[in-house]
Each structure stands twice: as C-alpha cells, then as structure tokens.
Amino acid sequence: MIMRIPAAKAFAFARVLPVQRNMGAYTTALRMMSVAVPSTKPANPEFSSGPCKKRPGYDVAKLDSRTAGRSHRSKIGKERLALAIDETKRLLGIPEDYLVGIVPASDTGAYEMAMWNVLGQRNVDIFHWESFGKGWYGDAVSHLKLKDVVEVNEYTADYGDIPDLSKANPDHDICFTFNGTTSGVRVPEGCDFISDSRTGLTLCDATSACFAMNMPWEKLDITTYSWQKVLGGEGAHGMLILSPRAVERLESFTPENRPLPKIFRMTKKGKVDTSIFKGATINTPSMLAVEDYIDALQWTDSVGGVPALIQKSLDNLSVMEKFVEKNDWINFLAKNPATRSCTSVCLTLDLDADQIKKFVSLLEKEGVAFDIGGYRDAPPSIRIWCGATVEKADLEALCPWMEWAYDQIKNA
C-alpha cells in the first residue's frame, strides 16, 4: 500500500529537493499526492448507451394518456401513430417520396426485416467494425445463406478503426452501420463512399446516429433506428425508412425458398403494404411508448429541431475531447477524429480489464455515472453516451470524478 500524504505537504517536500540531483524523489512525491474527492456530482448520472437518458425535464405524468387502454386501431390510436410517423419525417427532413414506418423489435427487427426482404438479388458488400455490424454479416451468411446465391464481400476493421469504404461497389447492395454504437466509430460526414449513380441498394443501421448526425438521405435507400437511443425513448419499436428505389426492389424481387415470418412481411400481392407506413403496424405497439416517442419529438422541435440536437451532441463530445487531451491515461477508442462518434463515446484507460470494472463500479457506487462499462465484445473500455438528452454540465461534472476514480484504482 502506498502511503498518502496531503497535497500541500507533498508540494512542500518537493520544493526543498534539489531539482537535478533528486528528480526521482521529486517525481515520487508528486505521484503520492491523492486526487481530491470532487465537490460536485452530475445532476443526472445516467450515461447509458441504450436505453439512453430521457430528455431534460421529462415527466411520464405529462404524457398524453388518451390512448391508454385504447386499441391502436381506434381512431385516436391511428391518429397518434400517424402523427409519430409524420413528425419523424418532418423533423429529420426525409424526402416526401420516402416511406416511414413503425415496426416490431427495435432497430434489430427493422434491420433484419430489411435484409430478409431485399437481399439476394445482387452481390452484397458488408462493412462492419463493431458487434452489431458483425451480427448483420453473420445473419447474412449463416441464416439467409446469401453465399449460396450471390457473392458476399466482407470488409472489416478492428474496434477503433473503420474499413476501407472505397471498396463499396455501386453495383452491389451495401450493408453498413452509420455509427458503431459499441466502438464509437462513425462513417465520414456525407457518406461520399456511396455513389449517386449506384444500381444497388444501401442498407443503413442508423440507430445511434439519427437525430444526432446529418443523414444524407439521397445516399440511403433503407435506414433503420430505434427510439431508445438519441431521443431517449422506450425500447421494442423500430423505425424503417424506405427510398423509392427500395420500394421498387420490394415489388420486383421475391427471394426464392425464403419463408418470411408475419412480422417481416412488407408486401401484399406484389405491392408494398403502404398501410404499414401510415400507422397500421404489423403487430400491436405499446401506445404508451408511442406517446413517449411523440413527447421526445415535441421536445426536439421545441429546442430547435435536429440541427440543435446535433450541436448538443457535438458540444458534449468536446467536453470529452478536452478531458482526454488533458489526461494521458485515457484515450478514444476511435483513432481518427473524423470518424469519432458524438453519441457513443468509447474510451480506453491505462487500466487492465478488472481494474476498469472496479473503476466503473466505483463511479456507480458514488452515484455519479451509471452503466458506462464498455460493450461485452469490445476491448476493455468505458462507454459514455453523449447524445443530446445528456446535459453538457453533467459531463463536465463527471470528468473530475473519473480522474478521482482512476487515482483510487491505479494507486490502490
């Protein structure tokens, strides 16, 4: 056990040492100084990467309760579902000729639904650099067995890096994750790796990007996300966004020998079932969760729309960037600032895996940070959600606590 001495005494001791002849003792004295316990805690310690923190000022009692106990097929039920779709389209600036629908099973359900319906007509390029993208590749080859009918190209990179996106073939279908929730690595702004003259479709998992990053809709044919990420909504529901090109694929291509579960079916008699994209959900949705989502959309509108949410996330990221720059024991898992996420901020520490677990537990015990452990498949790390529902002041209050916790664990 290292003996601790008060900071003032350590400085006094260091000052009397001859600088040149006793540099080792001087350094030892400084290392023996303990980081003081911070005096201010975050007002809200919720930094989970999903489900994520609720919007500032959230109160479940203020949700519109008129749909509670009502059928989603009632007049008011249909109206509220349609409102959720229409406001999504308006706030995200989705083109008028795109379709937006609410589907089962969160982002996972929405993305699987897309894969099972459209893949298999063309060769496929799959880009992944974190766990969820890797999962889409695994499903494509192991469950859809696409390699039996088309060429499947896998382009991958380690956590913290991104694959060579220039290898995307415009004549192939392209599957990718816009923002790697478990790695903190996003695609470059603008998605210039996607050709405007492509003949294939792009399938984009944007669950931790929508409402926090600019979405180039002209590059995206099928986009999915879930409510529980950037807007801090409830789980179990996914959003599916289709371009006209995606609709054309659905109506012209039927995969052979591929039975589709009812909750995956998007067409009827060879045509897209447009009722799905007007609020007639495939299965029964939680109307309470729908109201929660509408509340988040209304909050988005009230603070300045999506541009304001993007700026809030960038401001939050800047807090973490300044902290990392100040401390040499913590680093971004994302190596390139140009592909660094502003929502799921993943950080490595100068600690081993067990020490990181203790670091995370210590912060939770102190009530200053909940659920910040890195994803189970990621390298030993922490993950701090910096989406727009998180307040910058809370991140600023968290930083000194992280420095304190590191000192406690490293010098234990």
Side-chain angles (χ1 to χ4, degrees):
M1 180 70 69
I2 297 175
M3 182 185 73
R4 299 189 184 280
I5 58 177
K9 291 184 178 180
F11 275 117
F13 171 64
R15 281 199 299 268
V16 301
L17 295 175
V19 175
Q20 295 298 324
R21 295 177 60 187
N22 296 285
M23 185 58 71
Y26 173 78
T27 302
T28 299
L30 291 181
R31 285 178 177 172
M32 290 170 66
M33 294 163 48
S34 294
V35 174
V37 179
S39 59
T40 303
K41 292 185 177 182
N44 192 308
E46 295 166 2
F47 299 104
S48 164
S49 292
C52 301
K53 178 185 174 292
K54 292 294 188 182
R55 67 167 179 83
Y58 177 82
D59 184 350
V60 68
K62 294 181 179 179
L63 297 182
D64 190 331
S65 61
R66 291 176 297 159
T67 57
R70 297 295 305 274
S71 168
H72 63 296
R73 304 192 192 283
S74 66
K75 181 181 178 183
I76 189 172
K78 290 179 179 178
E79 287 176 353
R80 299 302 280 178
L81 286 161
L83 176 65
I85 290 171
D86 292 343
E87 286 297 275
T88 295
K89 200 167 184 177
R90 178 180 71 85
L91 288 166
L92 285 175
I94 298 171
E96 186 62 33
D97 56 356
Y98 280 47
L99 300 180
V100 178
I102 299 170
V103 299
S106 192
D107 174 66
T108 300
Y111 203 81
E112 293 280 3
M113 189 175 184
M115 292 175 65
W116 283 73
N117 274 275
V118 305
L119 294 183
Q121 186 194 61
R122 291 172 175 267
N123 294 336
V124 185
D125 294 340
I126 300 180
F127 295 85
H128 68 84
W129 55 96
E130 51 97 43
S131 60
F132 289 100
K134 183 178 181 179
W136 306 144
Y137 174 76
D139 288 348
V141 297
S142 299
H143 297 280
L144 286 173
K145 301 187 182 301
L146 290 180
K147 287 188 175 182
D148 292 347
V149 292
V150 295
E151 176 184 304
V152 180
N153 301 301
E154 179 187 18
Y155 301 104
T156 186
D158 292 333
Y159 278 80
D161 291 317
I162 198 166
D164 183 358
L165 298 174
S166 69
K167 294 185 180 294
N169 189 323
D171 294 326
H172 295 180
D173 291 335
I174 301 170
C175 297
F176 71 101
T177 305
F178 200 100
N179 179 74
T181 310
T182 65
S183 70
V185 177
R186 56 157 293 172
V187 293
E189 184 78 16
C191 293
D192 290 339
F193 68 96
I194 298 174
S195 172
D196 291 331
S197 58
R198 65 190 178 280
T199 56
L201 296 180
T202 55
L203 285 72
C204 172
D205 170 359
T207 197
S208 55
C210 269
F211 289 95
M213 301 173 193
N214 291 307
M215 306 300 296
W217 297 111
E218 71 282 359
K219 302 276 191 178
L220 309 176
D221 294 307
I222 300 179
T223 306
T224 66
Y225 71 92
S226 55
W227 298 346
Q228 73 265 29
K229 293 294 184 182
V230 178
L231 294 184
E234 293 302 300
H237 299 75
M239 299 299 288
L240 179 66
I241 303 169
L242 305 179
S243 74
R245 300 176 72 254
V247 172
E248 192 278 331
R249 171 72 66 84
L250 285 166
E251 295 183 344
S252 64
F253 171 65
T254 301
E256 293 184 11
N257 302 317
R258 188 184 298 171
L260 292 176
K262 180 179 180 180
I263 60 172
F264 276 13
R265 297 172 199 160
M266 285 191 279
T267 60
K268 285 185 177 180
K269 298 179 179 180
K271 295 293 182 181
V272 166
D273 184 357
T274 56
S275 65
I276 296 172
F277 304 94
K278 296 176 182 177
T281 55
I282 297 174
N283 71 330
T284 304
S286 163
M287 295 309 297
L288 181 60
V290 170
E291 292 301 334
D292 187 271
Y293 179 59
I294 291 173
D295 174 82
L297 293 173
Q298 291 171 337
W299 169 73
T300 299
D301 206 19
S302 72
V303 298
V306 174
L309 299 195
I310 293 173
Q311 189 58 54
K312 282 197 69 175
S313 293
L314 291 172
D315 290 344
N316 287 343
L317 173 61
S318 71
V319 173
M320 303 314 300
E321 288 177 329
K322 291 175 183 176
F323 182 70
V324 170
E325 184 177 358
K326 176 186 172 185
N327 296 278
D328 61 4
W329 52 267
I330 186 168
N331 290 286
F332 286 96
L333 185 58
K335 299 176 176 61
N336 182 356
T339 56
R340 184 176 294 160
S341 171
C342 64
T343 56
S344 52
V345 176
C346 299
L347 302 159
T348 59
L349 283 65
D350 179 22
L351 299 172
D352 62 33
D354 288 338
Q355 288 175 316
I356 289 177
K357 289 180 180 179
K358 293 177 182 178
F359 175 91
V360 170
S361 296
L362 183 56
L363 291 175
E364 181 163 347
K365 181 180 178 181
E366 292 293 333
V368 296
F370 297 155
D371 312 318
I372 65 167
Y375 194 73
R376 60 180 179 269
D377 294 334
S381 57
I382 62 172
R383 183 171 53 154
I384 299 172
W385 185 256
C386 288
T389 58
V390 172
E391 298 285 52
K392 181 180 178 182
D394 285 339
L395 288 165
E396 291 172 335
L398 171 63
C399 288
W401 281 98
M402 289 198 294
E403 195 168 1
W404 170 81
Y406 172 79
D407 178 73
Q408 296 295 303
I409 301 301
K410 191 70 173 178
N411 295 319

